[in-house]
Amino acid sequence: LEAWVNPEQFADRTGLLCKTQSSDYGIFVNKGVPEFSVFLGDKYATAKAASPIEIGRWTHIAGVFDGSEVRLYVDGKKVAARSGSGVRKVNALPLALGADVGRRGEPGSFFVGELDGVRLSSRAVYAGETIQPARRPTPDAATVFLANMDGFIGHALWGEGPRKLIGSRVGDPVVRVGR
């Protein structure tokens, strides 16, 4: 799970890419500090950075679970890792982009800023101490969905992975051209 983010501000609790609710996975940036969590067995395994990301600067954040370890990468560097294994507890909730997801699938704890290059993969795409994230990711065989945030068709978000329409917008997101 990964994205490029350009935050304008942070709250105490800020969802970035979340499908949580005592299950599944998510990336939060609480007070600007990124963390990636995966619900394994009966609890979350969480890899949390030591410091916040900068406001007003594009930053790449990636969360990886390879079956034995949960890792967090910020701007291509592994900043946190935690052992984790077991069966991931899944849910039927949507993956919220720029928010956390509530029990009924409603968004909350919103991220304020820009998102780009959001990709969910079916396998661990990154390994090692450093990675080279593409500024504009392209789909591969492991891509579940990819949204380079190029636009909306009505209320639907256009994706570049195997599913072209990957979700619907809530609220009034703005698509900025020329970045």
Side-chain angles (χ1 to χ4, degrees):
L1 182 62
E2 66 184 298
W4 285 91
V5 302
N6 184 6
E8 293 177 16
Q9 66 184 47
F10 292 112
D12 289 346
R13 180 172 162 71
T14 303
L16 186 62
L17 307 168
C18 299
K19 188 176 169 35
T20 51
Q21 274 305 316
S22 298
S23 53
D24 258 324
Y25 52 86
I27 297 176
F28 285 85
V29 284
N30 299 331
K31 295 182 182 176
V33 178
E35 63 182 64
F36 176 58
S37 298
V38 181
F39 201 95
L40 302 170
D42 62 353
K43 64 184 176 192
Y44 281 107
T46 300
K48 183 177 180 179
S51 57
I53 60 173
E54 292 180 44
I55 290 176
R57 178 183 159 297
W58 282 103
T59 302
H60 182 262
I61 299 175
V64 176
F65 173 59
D66 65 5
S68 62
E69 186 176 60
V70 175
R71 293 186 296 276
L72 178 68
Y73 293 88
V74 176
D75 283 338
K77 295 178 185 157
K78 183 169 75 171
V79 297
R82 179 169 181 191
S83 295
S85 61
V87 177
R88 191 180 93 229
K89 182 179 177 185
V90 299
N91 65 47
L93 297 171
L95 174 63
L97 309 183
D100 187 14
V101 66
R103 284 182 279 224
R104 293 179 212 86
E106 74 282 1
S109 301
F110 295 99
F111 171 74
V112 179
E114 297 173 285
L115 285 174
D116 199 8
V118 179
R119 181 169 59 174
L120 176 64
S121 299
S122 61
R123 64 173 174 79
V125 176
Y126 301 122
E129 296 299 313
T130 61
I131 61 172
Q132 292 291 329
R135 182 57 185 94
R136 183 175 175 80
T138 56
D140 61 21
T143 301
V144 175
F145 80 77
L146 169 62
N148 277 308
M149 302 302 182
D150 294 331
F152 292 92
I153 299 172
H155 283 279
L157 176 62
W158 179 257
E160 297 174 56
R163 294 181 1 204
K164 297 301 181 190
L165 298 177
I166 59 173
S168 60
R169 67 182 177 160
V170 175
D172 192 24
V174 175
V175 176
R176 295 186 180 154
V177 178
R179 289 199 177 212

